[in-house]
């Protein structure tokens, strides 16, 4: 079933109709200055999406609600002849060809050619003869049709999100043939009713099919918005993806511009100095995402306020950190710090003391943060003891990639500056060897360990949103001064849109 009950479908239709009738969005005089996210879909991606169009059109035909068709006509000798076609539904349908064209600043033109559709139902007819003789009959019928379908979809902003208007829809009939009970009825009867109903039937089919296509187009626009909004939300942290300008249609791409402001409890976020320009994106890949540096800083601030920037390291991972090399210096430092306690009886906690600062540069994403590290030991039968506490300002450049459905983060050029240092084994802070060892440990494996903890967490989050369902090809994450670009090619999961519409 398309929907669980007619009332639910009716309610959705009413809501979409009201949204469609809403006033157009109002934008400021310089919309690019408040643009934090841009999505560009090029012509190859539109052609790929068009492959799904045939499935959606078939759905529109199957779920169109065809009303009963009635009429009457006076015939010589027969008197008035009346007819009623009821229970009209699609029995079979096939589509030979579908084409899409982007018309600059106008619409997305979709041409569906050679749609072969068979409709079935019941024909009831009656006539009163000149001698008051009344005869009424009901026969099953089948209508064989060949149709071309032209849909011009306009994109607009309504209620601050992308809306689709597919009301500009045309059906052209190459063939419309009525079969009564497998052609068992007399030929004159078949010819009579074919002449009666052909015009009305064409009008009804066009009206109902085009109405269903427009409804599905609006549903799909809402679906894409909801998927995007859900993808960039995790618990209390999300992004405002309201439009900052009307969707743009060019001959080679579609483009939409969004605010991208962070939504988190009472956190206030404002963007007024975006560096976006359409010239920053090309047209060689299927899909582009442009993100302002401001968004990453705001997300980092929200994550800090939500107390997410905390990492606990124990057991084998803790051992791997402190045993980066088998030297006398390393063994002495470990003995002093842990005071003879095993790694299994110890825990290291790393957390951010302030909101991280993120800067996007050509060499990568530069993250600067004041970080605290605390190591506690739990001697058997004794109270826990903090054996090491240090604060350090860490600056690290990270390069990102997405390979085989996994996010890969590679830290480069790390710099560490100690701000505070307390060690139980060195209360006077005169033993420089411990600090030197810790600085080497942090720069060589400590930062990598923190980053390696972030990788699977973010990958798991993205996969939970369905990103791993797509076949993403040759993705590139490119950083420039003040912004980031993600560009990729992709293929659609089988019948993704169709599965959604049939829920």
């Amino acid at each position: 079933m398309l929907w669980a009950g007619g009332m639910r479908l009716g309610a959705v239709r009413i809501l979409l109709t009201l949204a469609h009738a809403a006033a157009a969005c109002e934008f400021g005089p310089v919309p690019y200055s408040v643009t934090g996210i841009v999505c560009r879909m090029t012509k190859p991606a539109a052609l790929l999406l068009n492959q799904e169009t045939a499935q959606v059109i078939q759905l529109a035909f199957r779920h169109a609600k065809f009303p009963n068709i009635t009429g009457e006509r006076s015939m010589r000798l027969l008197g008035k002849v009346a007819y009623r076609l009821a229970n009209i539904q699609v029995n079979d349908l096939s589509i030979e060809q579908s084409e899409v064209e982007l018309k600059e600043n106008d619409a997305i033109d979709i041409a569906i050619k050679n749609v072969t559709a068979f409709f079935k139902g019941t024909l009831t007819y009656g006539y009163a003869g000149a001698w008051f003789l009344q005869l009424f009959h009901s026969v099953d019928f089948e209508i064989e049709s060949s149709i071309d379908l032209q849909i011009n979809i306009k994109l607009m902003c309504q209620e601050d999100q992308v809306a689709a208007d597919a009301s500009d829809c045309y059906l052209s009939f190459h063939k419309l043939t009525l079969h009564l009970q497998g052609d068992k009825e007399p030929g004159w009867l078949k010819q009579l009713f074919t002449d009666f109903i052909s015009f009305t039937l064409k009008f009804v089919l066009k009206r109902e099919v085009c109405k269903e296509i427009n409804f599905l187009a609006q549903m799909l626009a809402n679906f894409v918005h909801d998927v995007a909004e859900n993808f960039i939300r995790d618990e209390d942290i999300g992004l405002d993806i309201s439009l900052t300008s009307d969707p743009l249609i060019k001959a080679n791409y579609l483009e939409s511009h969004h605010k991208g402001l962070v939504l988190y409890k009472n956190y206030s976020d404002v963007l007024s100095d975006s560096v976006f320009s359409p010239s920053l994106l090309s047209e060689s890949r299927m899909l582009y995402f442009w993100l302002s540096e401001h968004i990453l800083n705001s997300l980092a601030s929200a994550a800090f306020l939500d107390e997410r920037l905390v990492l606990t390291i124990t057991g084998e991972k803790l051992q791997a950190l402190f045993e980066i090399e088998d030297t006398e210096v390393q063994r002495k430092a470990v003995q002093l710090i842990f005071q003879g306690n095993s790694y299994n009886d110890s825990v290291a906690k790393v957390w951010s003391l302030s909101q991280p600062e993120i800067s996007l540069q050509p060499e990568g994403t530069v993250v600067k943060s004041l970080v605290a590290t605390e190591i506690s030991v739990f001697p058997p039968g004794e109270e826990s003891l903090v054996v090491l506490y240090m604060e350090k300002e860490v600056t690290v450049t990270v390069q990102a990639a997405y390979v085989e459905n996994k996010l890969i983060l590679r830290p480069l050029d790390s710099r560490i500056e100690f701000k505070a240092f307390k060690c139980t084994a060195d209360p006077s802070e005169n033993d420089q060897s411990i600090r030197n060892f810790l600085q080497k440990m942090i720069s060589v494996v400590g930062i990598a360990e923190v980053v390696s903890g972030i990788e699977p967490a973010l990958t798991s989050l993205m996969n939970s949103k369905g990103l791993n369902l797509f076949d993403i090809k040759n993705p590139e994450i490119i950083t420039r001064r003040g912004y980031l670009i993600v560009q990729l090619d992709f293929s659609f999961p089988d019948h993704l849109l169709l599965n959604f519409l049939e829920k």
Side-chain angles (χ1 to χ4, degrees):
M1 293 179 62
L2 181 61
W3 296 98
M7 292 184 64
R8 183 181 177 188
L9 178 59
V12 172
R13 288 182 184 278
I14 292 172
L15 290 174
L16 287 176
T17 301
L18 291 175
H20 184 69
C25 306
E26 295 183 3
F27 305 112
V30 191
Y32 287 164
S33 67
V34 294
T35 295
I37 300 176
V38 178
C39 176
R40 175 178 289 188
M41 179 182 294
T42 61
K43 184 68 176 289
L47 294 173
L48 177 65
L49 288 172
N50 189 53
Q51 296 176 12
E52 293 282 312
T53 301
Q55 301 292 333
V56 176
I57 296 301
Q58 288 181 355
L59 192 68
F61 271 86
R62 289 201 305 270
H63 292 282
K65 305 299 181 183
F66 300 106
N68 296 333
I69 298 174
T70 59
E72 66 176 22
R73 187 174 180 180
S74 296
M75 298 290 294
R76 184 178 300 177
L77 300 177
L78 294 177
K80 288 186 176 180
V81 177
Y83 62 88
R84 179 173 182 265
L85 280 76
N87 304 320
I88 303 175
Q89 55 187 294
V90 176
N91 191 33
D92 192 17
L93 184 141
S94 63
I95 296 175
E96 182 176 305
Q97 186 179 358
S98 178
E99 299 175 353
V100 64
E101 179 182 359
L102 304 180
K103 297 180 66 177
E104 186 155 343
N105 298 323
D106 189 5
I108 306 169
D109 285 359
I110 299 178
I112 313 293
K113 298 183 179 179
N114 294 330
V115 180
T116 301
F118 291 86
F119 301 87
K120 66 177 181 179
T122 303
L123 169 65
T124 301
Y125 64 94
Y127 50 89
W131 296 278
F132 304 102
L133 176 64
Q134 295 183 351
L135 298 173
F136 299 95
H137 299 278
S138 290
V139 295
D140 293 332
F141 71 84
E142 183 180 70
I143 299 169
E144 181 183 357
S145 66
S146 179
I147 307 168
D148 283 350
L149 180 62
Q150 180 70 37
I151 311 166
N152 303 311
I153 303 176
K154 295 183 180 295
L155 300 180
M156 63 195 71
C157 176
Q158 288 177 343
E159 297 187 342
D160 292 329
Q161 70 182 62
V162 177
D165 179 8
S167 58
D168 189 3
C169 170
Y170 301 93
L171 267 68
S172 301
F173 290 83
H174 301 299
K175 179 180 182 181
L176 188 68
T177 305
L178 177 67
H179 301 282
L180 300 177
Q181 283 191 343
D183 288 334
K184 294 180 181 178
E185 292 295 327
W188 66 270
L189 183 61
K190 174 181 173 181
Q191 184 62 45
L192 172 67
F193 285 108
T194 298
D195 292 342
F196 276 9
I197 69 174
S198 60
F199 176 80
T200 304
L201 183 60
K202 290 178 181 179
F203 174 77
V204 169
L205 293 180
K206 173 191 180 301
R207 182 187 64 195
E208 299 305 322
V209 170
C210 286
K211 182 169 66 176
E212 187 68 21
I213 289 173
N214 191 35
F215 169 66
L216 293 179
Q218 294 177 56
M219 275 188 66
L220 287 174
N222 286 342
F223 166 66
V224 171
H225 179 273
D226 291 345
V227 168
E229 194 173 55
N230 177 64
F231 187 84
I232 54 180
R233 172 171 290 279
D234 182 47
E235 297 180 4
D236 292 334
I237 301 176
L239 290 178
D240 178 2
I241 56 173
S242 300
L243 290 175
T244 60
S245 63
D246 284 316
L248 188 64
I249 300 179
K250 293 292 186 179
N252 294 321
Y253 63 85
L254 310 172
E255 190 170 279
S256 59
H257 313 102
H258 309 263
K259 293 179 180 177
L261 300 178
V262 169
L263 303 173
Y264 175 73
K265 296 182 179 179
N266 296 325
Y267 179 83
S268 179
D269 195 14
V270 178
L271 173 62
S272 59
D273 56 353
S274 172
V275 298
F276 174 73
S277 169
S279 62
L280 297 177
L281 300 178
S282 66
E283 303 170 17
S284 60
R285 306 297 297 273
M286 294 173 67
L287 193 61
Y288 294 83
F289 293 102
W290 183 95
L291 287 86
S292 168
E293 175 183 282
H294 175 90
I295 291 179
L296 299 184
N297 269 302
S298 297
L299 286 172
S301 297
F304 170 78
L305 294 173
D306 204 42
E307 299 181 351
R308 298 192 185 194
L309 304 182
V310 179
L311 179 65
T312 300
I313 306 172
T314 59
E316 293 181 357
K317 288 190 174 182
L318 186 59
Q319 181 177 358
L321 279 177
F322 282 88
E323 296 186 357
I324 58 173
E325 57 184 9
D326 187 14
T327 64
E328 184 63 29
V329 172
Q330 175 261 322
R331 288 191 292 270
K332 179 181 177 182
V334 170
Q335 182 67 26
L336 288 172
I337 293 171
F338 289 91
Q339 300 182 17
N341 291 280
S342 72
Y343 294 111
N344 290 331
D345 295 327
S346 308
V347 60
K349 179 183 175 183
V350 183
W351 70 97
S352 183
L353 291 169
S354 62
Q355 299 179 8
E357 299 175 14
I358 295 178
S359 173
L360 294 173
Q361 302 294 334
E363 58 269 21
T365 302
V366 181
V367 183
K368 182 179 181 180
S369 181
L370 183 61
V371 178
T373 301
E374 181 181 87
I375 297 178
S376 302
V377 296
F378 302 85
E382 299 180 26
E383 293 184 358
S384 63
L385 176 66
V386 176
V387 295
L388 178 69
Y389 175 83
M390 54 185 173
E391 296 176 5
K392 52 204 175 293
E393 187 176 78
V394 179
T395 304
V396 59
T397 301
V398 180
Q399 292 183 343
Y402 189 76
V403 181
E404 296 181 352
N405 293 334
K406 293 181 181 179
L407 180 66
I408 306 298
L409 301 176
R410 189 160 63 98
L412 307 169
D413 302 329
S414 60
R415 298 188 300 277
I416 302 165
E417 181 182 350
F418 283 97
K419 299 294 185 180
F421 186 88
K422 295 179 181 179
C423 181
T424 304
D426 182 25
S428 62
E429 302 183 19
N430 293 324
D431 191 342
Q432 189 66 30
S433 64
I434 294 179
R435 189 177 299 203
N436 291 340
F437 166 74
L438 289 171
Q439 182 154 357
K440 182 176 182 180
M441 181 270 289
I442 293 169
S443 61
V444 174
V445 294
I447 293 174
E449 178 64 28
V450 172
V451 170
S452 68
I454 297 174
E455 285 179 342
L458 292 178
T459 298
S460 177
L461 176 61
M462 292 188 294
N463 288 344
S464 71
K465 308 295 185 179
L467 184 63
N468 58 330
L469 299 177
F470 292 81
D471 182 12
I472 297 178
K473 304 172 183 178
N474 302 319
E476 294 181 83
I477 301 175
I478 302 170
T479 54
R480 294 290 183 263
R481 190 176 299 277
Y483 64 90
L484 175 152
I485 297 174
V486 180
Q487 57 188 37
L488 54 93
D489 298 321
F490 70 97
S491 61
F492 247 108
D494 290 341
H495 310 310
L496 174 68
L497 301 181
L498 186 64
N499 291 338
F500 160 73
L501 293 172
E502 287 187 325
K503 286 181 181 178

